[in-house]
Structures are given as C-alpha cells and as structure tokens.
C-alpha cells in the first residue's frame, strides 16, 4: 500500500505535468493566473472591496485554475475532450464566484431569502468545491465535509446524547455555505486570499531568484567538514527552504533530490537518508518567518499578531531541528562516518558573496513586520525587493520572463491550499453552527478529568487519527476548532490554583462564588489547600471557568495560554507527515532514496520525537509566554535534555553506550526537560555536559590511536 501511494503520487505529478503542458491549458492558465495575481495583489495592497466579495473572487478564479491543472481523470489528462470538460467545470466555478458579486446585496434585501437561481448556484458551488477538493487532497476530506453537512441538515436530530442537533433546513444550510461568512467565503478563505496567497507568491519569487540553490549551497558550505555533514546539509537546507514553502512534500522534491543522494554517497543507509529529509522538511512549517499557512490561521484564531507568533516560534523550532541534527550526528558516529568532507561544497565566504543578496528580501520582510506594516503589505514589498535584489546577483537576474514564470508558478503553488481553505470553511461552519466543537471540547475535558497531561495525550491521539486523512493545515484547523478553548483553559488552571491558595482572589470573584454557592465562598475566604483548589476548579463548568479567567489572570497570561494551546495543536498536527501507515512526505522521500516506504515512515517518525516532547514545554513552562530571559532559562536546559534523550534512543553520545548507560542518560534528559526551577537543573546539566565533553575527548583519543596504529577496527564500538 505505501509503495503504491508513493508511486501513485509521482504518477499523478507526471500526469499533471502532461496536462499543464497542453497548449490550451498553458494559454488559459497563463491568462487566468496573471489576471488573478494582479487582482489579488491589488486588493491586498489597496482594499476597495468587501472581504466576502474578495473571497468569492478568490474561490472562482482558483477554482478555474484548479480545474485546469488537476484533471478529473489523470490517465486522460492530455486528451482534448477531457480537457474541455475540465475547462467547463472551471468556468462553472468561476461563474459561482462571480455570481456572488452581483447578488449578495439582493439576498440581504430580501431578508435572507434565496431565489431559485440562488439555490442552484449555492448548491453547485458546494458540489464544485468538494469535487475540486477531491482532486487536490483526496477523497477523505470531501466525505468528512459531506458527513458534517448532512449532520446539520438531516440526521443530527435523530441521534441521542450530547451531540443531538435539532437541525436546520437544507436551504438554510446552503445559504450559510454561500451567502454568509460561515462557509466557502468565511474567515478561513479570507486567510487564503490574503496572507497565504501573498506569501506563497513571495516564496515563488524567492525560488526563481535563486533562493533554493543558495540555501543548498549555504548548507553545504556550513557543514562540509562536520560529522554527519551530509545529513546536516539536509536538515539546514530543508529547514530554510521549508520556512519559505511551508509544505513538506514540496520541500522534499526541491531539496531532497540533492540531499538524499548526498547522504547515501557519504555512507548513510537509504532509509535513514529519506527519514532525515522527511523529518527536516516536516519541521519547515515550524520555523519563522513564514511557517506556511498555519501561522496566519493561528493569528486569525487567536487575534495575536503574526509577528508575535513568529517570534515566539523561533526557540521551539531551534529545539526541533537540534533534535534532528543530534540524531544525524549520533548515527554518523555509530556508523563510523566521522571523516566527512564535501568536495563539491564551496567556501562559506564565496557562497555569501555570490548569493547573499538573496536573503535581503527576507530581512526586509521581517523589518517591515517589526515596524508595524501589515503582513500583506510586507509580502508585496518583499516581492518587489526580490526582483530588485536579483539584479545585484551574478547568477539569477530576473527579467520579464522570470517574473512571468514566478507569477505562474506562484499561482499554481497556491491552488491546492486555496481550494482546501475555501472548502474546509464548510466544515468549520458546521462545527460552529451545530455547537459540535464546544461539545467535543467539553467531552475531552470530561475524559481527561481536568488532568492536562491526559488531555494532551487524548489530543495527540485525535491528531493521529485526523492525520491519516487530513493534510497538516486541515488537521490543525479542525483540532483548533474543537479543542483549543478547553486546552487553553487547562493550561491556566495552575495559575488560577496559585491565586486561590495564596488568597489573592479579587473581591468580585469571591462575590461571584458566594452567589453561586455560599459554601464555596466561605472556603475561599478561609483559605484553600492546593488539592482543594484543584478539586473546586475541576468541578466548575467550563463556561464559568472561562468567565473567571479574565477576572483572575493578567492579559499576558491569557494570551500566553491561548498561544500555547494553539501552538501545541499546530505542532502535533504535523505528525500526519511522518506517521505510518499514511505519511505521503515519507513515501515521496522513499521514492527518491529507493528505500522501503513503510520503514522510511517509521525512521522519520523516530526522528520527529520533538513534535511530542517540545509541546509539553508549551503547556508547563513559559517557553512561549514568558519574557526572553524566562524563555532562555527554559530553552538552555531543554536543549541539553533533548540531546540526552536522543543519545538514549540512538545508543550514542560521542561513543556507543550500553543499555544501562542509556537509562542513566534518559533520566538526565527527563530531569532537564521537567518543569521545575533552574537551580534544580544546574547540577544535572553540568554533569551531563561534562560527560559529553569527556566522551568527545575519548572518541578523539581513540581515533588518534587508530590512525597511528592503522587498525581498521571500529573504535567507537
């Protein structure tokens, strides 16, 4: 099955390339992509149109583009009759988008009553959206959306229990899906038409200006003599490239074709090489400044600025990539691949001198965000800067043809994400309309019994299940909708308990408790123990806890808890890239490496342990919510602790270690990652670092002895 998945993906890509090279498709796509890009850049820069109308244009134009390049039948992709049929589907999508522009006001003037034409256009819009979603993302998400829509309109009223929904009429469901911002043109689609489109286009211009080549050259220059250097190139290159694209598969097919053969040539096994590339590409969406679509959706959900989210995400992303690098180095030592030099790598100074200007648009992007410009404006300015900076480069000076190709490729890259985000709005609308999300959130809290670690485990399990059918962005949206509020509530429980135990309860809160239950008010006045405070908070309904939080906690704590909750969900949703039996990026990497796909998936999963370990720090420490001093106090020991856990898993520190030593090293890692004051971690951290230095000196000494004696024995064994 996995081998078929990988081959099927590559075959579909080949069919789409054949479709895209057909003369009619090339002409129609070029005209539509250019006009679409101009319209999007103009409206994102100057506004002048309502968000719903802009979203309708976005859906119609990208629906047309999707029908052109994602054929109904891949095997007949380049046959003219099938192309004409898909062109017709595209025109239907375009008509559905443009129809909204001339009929939305009339709909509201009639008091929200649809005409027969409105009904058919709304129905057709939903049907076309689901079909295009099937073409781009597979069958699972359309089926999930159909189940949700039918739940709201038909069978929700026939079930018993907490998920019973009285139901709405089919006409009302269509109206909410088309005319109201609860469906195709809702908040998620508006994120797609603004932030996502602009940054995807920016990434396309960067790649066309030579950024991909520069990133690979830079990574090779930095790691050309390091232990495990070829693996380090994969990690650094995929990290930098992934931060621009945010898509693991696109990252793998861009950088993996260089890094995977390089790793195999230096002595790594194909399975390990493909696993490293998958793990590194998966982490690209976690690394600022762009972080794919996830950061923009998170900003919309939390109302926390994109710049703040990107800044807070930096240290955790470094921890993640450090964990992969540690594993690469330890595997090199285990295989005795300690002598590495990349003969094809140029010097760092030469790489920076010839291509350093490639980084200037990214620097400008960050500077504009820091100075308070909107993300869309900053992206537009950075696109212009990319063209200007390319003229300063010797290799990749962008002319009219290059700009044209960058626009075409950017529009094409934006197609699957645009269709996904517009269509997933149907599901999010149902979750909001029916109250399914809050109900599911309450159910998770009840199952967890108010215990945060149990809730994190349940959310991880839900993420694993969703990841088998949903791409990363969709999985995060669903998780955030159904569980973010309850998770944020539990994260702040410790803060509320501390206030109750300390007796620093605001007067209005005490009075509220007395109104609800005089006995509770009396207990608070008399003073509570920690256990009593936890029991009392756990017994309160989530609605009351939500009302109490802003009354008892500072705004900074509330913001930190909300950001932590969403960042946890964003991180664990990435596991769909690396969790067998469904992990398309791993299968694509396996196809490049010619390794067993399932074994590659498990290898990548093992190297992505940071996706589960680091989110625990979000929940229990101020890694995301403190000032920079507090964040570094958490970051330092955590970095050493992750090294220790990686050593325990791989059986290598600087030389191989046995099982007893693994257990000891693992205990050091657990202590250094445990949420407790720094003073309790200093001694374990110093002891472990001292052992690492000792083992490093031992490995060097043994290597010198081997070189002197000419003994070919594996001295690190």
């Amino acid at each position: 099955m996995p081998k078929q998945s990988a081959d099927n993906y590559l075959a579909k890509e080949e069919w789409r390339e054949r479709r895209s090279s057909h003369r009619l498709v090339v002409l129609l796509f070029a005209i539509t992509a250019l006009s679409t890009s101009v319209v999007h850049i103009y409206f994102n820069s100057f506004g002048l149109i309502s968000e719903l109308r802009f979203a309708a244009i976005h859906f119609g134009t990208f629906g047309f583009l999707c029908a052109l390049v994602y054929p109904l039948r891949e095997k007949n992709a380049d046959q003219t009759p099938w192309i004409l049929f898909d062109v017709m589907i595209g025109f239907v999508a375009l008509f559905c988008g443009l129809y909204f522009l001339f009929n939305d006001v009339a709909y509201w003037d009639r008091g929200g009553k649809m005409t027969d034409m409105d009904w058919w256009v709304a129905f057709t819009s939903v049907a076309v959206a689901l079909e295009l979603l099937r073409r781009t993302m597979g069958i699972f998400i359309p089926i999930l959306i159909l189940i949700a829509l039918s739940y709201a309109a038909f069978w929700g009223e026939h079930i018993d229990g907490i998920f019973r929904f009285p139901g709405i009429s089919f006409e009302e469901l269509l109206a909410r899906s088309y005319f109201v911002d609860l469906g195709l043109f809702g908040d998620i689609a508006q994120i797609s038409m603004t932030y996502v489109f602009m940054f995807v286009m920016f990434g396309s211009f960067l790649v066309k200006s030579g950024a991909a080549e520069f990133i690979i050259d830079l990574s090779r220059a930095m790691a050309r003599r390091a232990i495990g250097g070829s693996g380090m190139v994969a990690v650094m290159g995929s990290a930098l490239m992934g931060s621009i694209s945010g898509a693991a598969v696109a990252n793998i097919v861009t950088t993996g074709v260089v890094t995977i053969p390089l790793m195999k040539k230096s002595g790594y096994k194909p399975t390990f090489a493909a696993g490293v590339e998958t793990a590194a590409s998966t982490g690209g969406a976690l690394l600022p400044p762009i972080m794919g679509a996830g950061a923009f959706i998170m900003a919309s959900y939390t109302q926390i600025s994109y710049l703040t989210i990107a800044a807070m995400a930096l240290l955790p992303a470094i921890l993640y990539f450090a964990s992969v690098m540690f594993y690469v180095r330890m595997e090199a030592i285990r295989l005795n691949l300690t002598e590495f030099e990349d003969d094809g790598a140029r010097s760092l100074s030469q790489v920076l001198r010839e291509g350093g200007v490639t980084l200037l648009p990214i620097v400008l992007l960050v500077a504009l965000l820091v100075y308070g410009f909107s993300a869309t404006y900053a992206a537009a300015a950075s696109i212009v800067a990319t063209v200007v900076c390319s003229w300063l480069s010797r290799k990749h000076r962008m002319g009219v043809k290059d700009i044209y190709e960058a626009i075409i490729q950017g529009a094409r890259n934006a197609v699957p994400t645009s269709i996904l985000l517009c269509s997933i709005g149907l599901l999010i609308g149902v979750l909001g309309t029916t109250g399914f999300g809050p109900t599911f959130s309450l159910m998770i809290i009840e199952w967890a019994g108010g215990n945060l670690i149990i809730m994190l485990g349940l959310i991880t399990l839900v993420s694993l299940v969703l990841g088998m059918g949903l791409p990363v962005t969709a999985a995060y949206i669903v998780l955030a909708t159904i569980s973010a509020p309850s998770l944020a509530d539990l994260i702040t429980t410790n803060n509320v308990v501390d206030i109750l135990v300390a007796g620093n309860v605001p007067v209005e809160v005490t009075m509220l408790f007395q109104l609800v239950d005089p006995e509770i008010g009396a207990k608070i006045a008399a003073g509570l123990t920690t256990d009593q405070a936890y029991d009392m908070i756990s017994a309160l309904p989530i609605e009351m806890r939500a009302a109490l939080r802003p009354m008892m906690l500072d705004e900074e704590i509330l913001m930190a808890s909300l950001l932590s909750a969403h960042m946890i969900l964003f991180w664990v949703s990435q596991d769909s890239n690396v969790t067998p039996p469904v992990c398309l990026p791993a299968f694509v990497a396996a196809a490049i490496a010619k390794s067993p796909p399932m074994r590659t998936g498990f290898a990548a999963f093992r190297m992505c342990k940071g996706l589960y370990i680091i989110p625990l720090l979000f929940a229990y420490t101020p890694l995301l919510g403190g000032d920079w001093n507090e964040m570094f106090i958490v970051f330092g020991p955590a970095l050493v602790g992750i090294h220790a856990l990686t050593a325990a898993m791989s059986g290598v520190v600087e030389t191989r270690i046995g099982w007893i030593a693994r257990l000891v090293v693992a205990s050091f890692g657990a202590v250094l990652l445990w949420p407790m004051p720094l003073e309790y971690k200093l001694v374990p951290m110093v002891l472990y670092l001292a052992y690492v230095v000792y083992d490093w000196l031992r490995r060097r000494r043994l290597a010198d002895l081997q070189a002197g004696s000419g003994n070919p024995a594996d001295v690190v064994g």
Side-chain angles (χ1 to χ4, degrees):
M1 180 67 177
K3 181 66 164 62
Q4 293 174 353
S5 298
D7 292 342
N8 190 39
Y9 172 82
L10 296 176
K12 285 185 176 181
E13 286 298 305
E14 181 181 349
W15 292 328
R16 288 167 192 155
E17 287 298 326
R18 287 165 51 191
R19 161 63 71 88
S20 299
S21 61
H22 192 281
R23 290 184 178 179
L24 177 61
V25 174
V26 169
L27 177 62
L28 290 177
F29 192 92
I31 294 172
T32 310
L34 287 171
S35 57
T36 297
S37 300
V38 170
V39 167
H40 277 67
I41 292 173
Y42 179 79
F43 284 142
N44 277 311
S45 300
F46 302 103
L48 306 179
I49 191 173
S50 72
E51 292 177 339
L52 279 174
R53 289 188 171 190
F54 189 4
I57 295 173
H58 180 71
F59 169 77
T61 52
F62 274 97
F64 185 84
L65 293 175
C66 180
L68 287 177
V69 296
Y70 287 84
L72 175 67
R73 289 174 53 88
E74 284 87 358
K75 292 183 179 180
N76 305 111
D78 56 350
Q79 295 181 8
T80 301
W82 289 101
I83 292 176
L84 293 176
F85 178 80
D86 284 330
V87 169
M88 183 185 70
I89 296 295
F91 275 117
V92 170
L94 184 60
F95 172 79
C96 289
L98 297 180
Y99 180 87
F100 182 90
L101 303 182
F102 304 100
N103 294 274
D104 58 330
V105 175
Y107 168 79
W108 291 111
D109 288 342
R110 292 191 299 270
K113 299 293 183 180
M114 290 200 298
T115 64
D116 290 343
M117 187 64 178
D118 291 344
W119 194 97
W120 282 109
V121 171
F123 178 81
T124 304
S125 298
V126 173
V128 169
L130 294 180
E131 165 57 17
L132 297 179
L133 184 62
R134 182 199 64 80
R135 298 186 188 191
T136 55
M137 297 293 170
I139 193 63
F140 182 82
I141 312 179
I143 290 176
L144 184 64
I145 293 174
L146 282 174
I147 292 173
L149 293 173
S150 61
Y151 164 73
F154 301 114
W155 56 270
E157 59 183 330
H158 299 297
I159 62 176
D160 297 324
I162 59 175
F163 291 113
R164 185 179 187 277
F165 177 65
I168 58 177
S169 68
F170 188 59
E171 180 175 340
E172 177 66 17
L173 180 67
L174 286 178
R176 289 171 180 248
S177 299
Y178 186 78
F179 282 108
V180 185
D181 60 352
L182 295 172
L184 291 171
F185 311 144
D187 293 340
I188 305 300
Q190 292 166 22
I191 294 169
S192 175
M193 73 193 187
T194 53
Y195 306 115
V196 175
F197 172 83
M198 293 299 292
F199 278 86
V200 167
M201 189 61 67
F202 174 48
S204 176
F205 270 78
L206 276 178
V207 170
K208 196 64 182 178
S209 70
E213 180 182 335
F214 171 73
I215 286 171
I216 294 296
D217 289 343
L218 179 65
S219 302
R220 294 179 71 173
M222 294 174 67
R224 62 177 179 165
R225 291 190 180 91
I227 293 177
S230 60
M232 300 293 183
V233 171
V235 177
M236 290 187 289
S238 296
L240 295 173
M241 195 66 201
S243 69
I244 296 172
S245 69
V249 172
N251 199 352
I252 289 170
V253 297
T254 302
T255 62
V257 293
V258 176
T259 60
I260 291 176
L262 185 64
M263 283 187 279
K264 290 171 64 178
K265 181 181 178 182
S266 64
Y268 286 111
K269 295 179 180 179
T271 299
F272 185 84
V276 169
E277 179 62 36
T278 303
S281 296
T282 295
L286 308 175
L287 182 66
I290 297 179
M291 301 173 64
F296 304 115
I297 296 171
M298 193 183 303
S300 176
Y301 272 150
T302 62
Q303 296 302 301
I304 298 172
S305 72
Y306 164 75
L307 181 62
T308 300
I309 291 173
M312 294 296 103
L314 179 60
L315 292 182
I318 292 174
L319 288 177
Y320 175 83
F321 285 106
S323 70
V324 181
M325 284 187 174
F326 293 154
Y327 207 97
V328 168
R329 176 184 171 86
M330 292 169 185
E331 180 70 6
I333 293 173
R334 191 180 70 82
L335 297 175
N336 200 23
L337 305 176
T338 54
E339 298 298 327
F340 171 79
E341 183 168 356
D342 187 355
D343 296 331
R346 294 176 292 161
S347 67
L348 181 61
S349 60
Q350 183 181 2
V351 171
L352 290 174
R353 184 172 60 253
E354 294 181 0
V357 292
T358 307
L359 297 177
L360 292 181
I362 299 177
V363 174
L364 175 66
L365 172 71
V366 175
L368 291 175
L369 291 172
V370 170
Y371 276 98
F373 289 93
S374 69
T376 52
Y377 180 89
S382 299
I383 289 173
V384 176
T386 302
V387 177
V388 174
C389 290
S390 73
W391 298 339
L392 305 176
S393 172
R394 299 177 181 177
K395 287 187 175 182
H396 300 281
R397 295 178 179 176
M398 295 183 67
V400 174
K401 181 181 178 182
D402 296 310
I403 294 172
Y404 163 79
E405 291 176 351
I407 292 174
I408 297 298
Q409 190 59 46
R412 184 173 181 180
N413 292 343
V415 165
T417 304
S418 299
I419 296 300
L420 170 65
L421 294 183
C422 288
S423 303
I424 203 71
L426 296 169
L427 176 61
I428 302 307
V430 169
L431 294 178
T433 299
T434 62
F436 184 95
T439 303
F440 189 86
S441 186
L442 288 171
M443 187 177 68
I444 292 180
I445 288 182
E446 184 176 348
W447 286 352
N451 187 300
L452 180 56
I453 192 67
I454 295 177
M455 185 171 186
L456 291 173
L458 292 173
I459 287 174
T460 302
L461 290 176
V462 173
S463 173
L464 287 172
V465 174
L466 290 175
M468 293 181 182
L470 297 179
V472 167
T473 303
Y476 164 64
I477 291 171
V478 174
L479 280 174
T481 303
I482 65 178
S483 58
S486 56
L487 182 55
D489 176 76
L490 284 186
I491 289 174
T492 58
T493 297
N494 288 338
N495 303 97
V496 175
V497 167
D498 291 341
I499 292 174
L500 291 172
V501 172
N504 298 327
V505 183
V507 176
E508 59 271 21
V509 174
T510 304
M511 294 175 62
L512 179 61
F513 274 118
Q514 288 175 342
L515 290 173
V516 175
D517 189 337
E519 292 185 6
I520 295 179
K523 289 180 180 179
I524 293 176
L528 297 171
T529 65
T530 300
D531 290 339
Q532 288 174 332
Y534 271 113
D535 292 340
M536 189 189 77
I537 292 298
S538 300
L540 293 175
I542 188 173
E543 295 86 354
M544 187 171 181
R545 290 207 301 268
L548 288 174
R549 286 167 60 206
M551 298 171 66
M552 299 182 68
L553 302 175
D554 294 336
E555 185 176 348
E556 292 182 359
I557 295 177
L558 294 173
M559 185 187 77
S561 68
L562 187 61
L563 177 59
S564 297
H566 278 269
M567 197 68 79
I568 288 170
L569 300 174
F570 182 56
W571 274 60
V572 299
S573 66
Q574 306 296 320
D575 60 11
S576 62
N577 288 329
V578 294
T579 306
V582 182
C583 44
L584 181 59
F587 297 158
V588 174
I592 297 173
K594 296 180 173 56
S595 61
M598 190 61 73
R599 288 178 58 190
T600 300
F602 281 111
F605 181 73
R606 188 166 60 250
M607 281 179 269
C608 284
K609 61 191 175 299
L611 291 178
Y612 305 102
I613 295 173
I614 297 169
L616 294 175
L617 299 177
F618 302 160
Y620 289 100
T621 72
L623 181 61
L624 289 179
D627 57 37
W628 283 100
N629 184 51
E630 293 174 321
M631 292 163 63
F632 275 107
I633 287 175
V634 176
F635 173 81
L639 184 64
V640 180
I642 286 175
H643 185 281
L645 288 183
T646 307
M649 291 178 61
S650 63
V652 174
V653 179
E654 285 293 314
T655 62
R656 293 185 183 180
I657 57 176
W659 284 104
I660 295 177
R662 284 192 182 196
L663 293 175
V664 174
V665 168
S667 65
F668 273 97
V671 168
L672 293 173
L673 288 165
W674 198 263
M676 57 184 178
L678 178 63
E679 52 265 27
Y680 296 110
K681 297 182 179 181
L682 285 176
V683 173
M685 186 165 60
V686 171
L687 289 176
Y688 180 74
L689 289 175
Y691 177 73
V692 172
V693 173
Y694 162 77
D695 210 32
W696 178 75
L697 293 173
R698 177 171 174 264
R699 180 180 60 78
R700 294 291 298 270
R701 185 169 63 252
L702 291 173
D704 290 341
L705 289 175
Q706 176 189 347
S709 63
N711 182 8
D714 182 5
V715 298
V716 297

